[in-house]
Amino acid sequence: GSSSVMVMRGFFGFVSCCASDASIQQLLAMESPLASIWGSDNLPIDWSATPTRVGHGTFGAFLQQTVGAGMAALLGVGDGELAAQLMETWPSGVFYLVDPYIHIWKGYDDSNNLSDKDHQLRYEGLRNAFHDQYEKQGRYGRYSWVREFSFSFPAVFKKAQGTGMEMGPLPSVVILDNNPAEQAVKTDLESWWDFMRPQGSIIAGTMYDKKGVREGVHKFAEQKNAQVLLAVDCQPMMWFIVRPR
């Protein structure tokens, strides 16, 4: 059957924008050989992204500097650790928190693939924790929950346009932190690439140490003639692609 959508709406108090040309050029100037970062003995031989030091301890701080005020979609909220870090270190960002919080019966063999009951308990706990962290302190409009599959949300978003049920601006940043299987990664990238703001947007993700993520990302980037960068000085380490202008 069809999956349901839950969007908890807030006031979007920021105008979505993109990374500036100057920021991108500054970023590309900081490329360093992988061997100089890890040492030749620890160099993962099949990691082909361009390593980059973005000059920040977190990816959120990097986005605060390069993007500023903007909309983002986090695909896969899970235990909320990355979501909380991003919202704290990117204070000008507003987030769609996208996660169905249901058990995936096939194609996602991971400890985070909880039972339906445990997923619901996790969601309710996070919803209450984020409410206490933000709304109770008067920090409104930082996020909206979207209980939907990551690859289908763009279609749901488009369908809502012109109906009076619009969800908000298009994202200028999309971050994948969900199923690391190659096909799942490729499906998400294909679903979101043309859905983001068209120029200077950033699509990024975690788990570059997993083979499925690397293969999915690089095969997609090759199709788009795009460069994959690896923020090696961030925790967690993030791969990312800046959409050409």
Side-chain angles (χ1 to χ4, degrees), residues 88 129-140:
E88 286 303 308
F130 283 3
H131 178 269
D132 291 345
Q133 179 74 17
Y134 295 101
E135 273 77 1
K136 274 192 174 181
Q137 297 182 24
R139 301 161 68 187
Y140 299 104

Side-chain angles (χ1 to χ4, degrees), residues 120-179:
Q120 182 63 23
L121 290 173
R122 171 178 276 186
Y123 163 70
E124 291 174 3
L126 278 174
R127 180 190 61 190
N128 293 338
F130 283 3
H131 178 269
D132 291 345
Q133 179 74 17
Y134 295 101
E135 273 77 1
K136 274 192 174 181
Q137 297 182 24
R139 301 161 68 187
Y140 299 104
R142 291 301 315 279
Y143 63 89
S144 287
W145 288 102
V146 183
R147 294 192 67 173
E148 179 56 270
F149 290 111
S150 56
F151 58 85
S152 58
F153 177 50
V156 173
F157 189 104
K158 292 175 184 176
K159 190 174 181 180
Q161 297 300 107
T163 66
M165 296 292 289
E166 290 83 356
M167 297 178 185
L170 292 175
S172 52
V173 176
V174 174
I175 299 173
L176 281 65
D177 190 37
N178 48 358
N179 190 339

Side-chain angles (χ1 to χ4, degrees), residues 28-203:
L28 296 177
M30 290 189 278
E31 297 171 3
S32 305
L34 278 171
S36 69
I37 296 168
W38 280 293
S40 57
D41 292 340
N42 300 318
L43 180 62
I45 58 173
D46 59 345
W47 289 27
S48 51
T50 301
T52 302
R53 294 188 187 277
V54 297
H56 302 279
T58 67
F59 201 67
F62 161 66
L63 293 173
Q64 178 67 22
Q65 181 186 54
T66 57
V67 176
M71 289 296 306
L74 175 60
L75 312 184
V77 183
D79 62 9
E81 182 177 353
L82 182 59
Q85 184 200 87
L86 286 167
M87 284 195 284
E88 286 303 308
T89 58
W90 184 15
S92 297
V94 178
F95 294 83
Y96 297 113
L97 301 178
V98 184
D99 197 312
Y101 282 105
I102 60 173
H103 181 73
I104 308 300
W105 289 99
K106 185 177 181 181
Y108 188 24
D109 185 16
D110 190 274
S111 59
N112 284 312
N113 191 13
L114 308 178
S115 67
D116 284 341
K117 178 181 178 181
D118 288 340
H119 266 308
Q120 182 63 23
L121 290 173
R122 171 178 276 186
Y123 163 70
E124 291 174 3
L126 278 174
R127 180 190 61 190
N128 293 338
F130 283 3
H131 178 269
D132 291 345
Q133 179 74 17
Y134 295 101
E135 273 77 1
K136 274 192 174 181
Q137 297 182 24
R139 301 161 68 187
Y140 299 104
R142 291 301 315 279
Y143 63 89
S144 287
W145 288 102
V146 183
R147 294 192 67 173
E148 179 56 270
F149 290 111
S150 56
F151 58 85
S152 58
F153 177 50
V156 173
F157 189 104
K158 292 175 184 176
K159 190 174 181 180
Q161 297 300 107
T163 66
M165 296 292 289
E166 290 83 356
M167 297 178 185
L170 292 175
S172 52
V173 176
V174 174
I175 299 173
L176 281 65
D177 190 37
N178 48 358
N179 190 339
E182 178 184 346
Q183 188 54 53
V185 172
K186 288 174 63 180
T187 299
D188 276 336
L189 290 171
E190 290 165 357
S191 299
W192 285 86
W193 184 259
D194 291 328
F195 176 65
M196 297 189 300
R197 290 176 64 88
Q199 295 181 327
S201 298
I202 295 173
I203 193 161

Side-chain angles (χ1 to χ4, degrees), residues 18 167 214:
C18 307
M167 297 178 185
R214 295 195 302 275

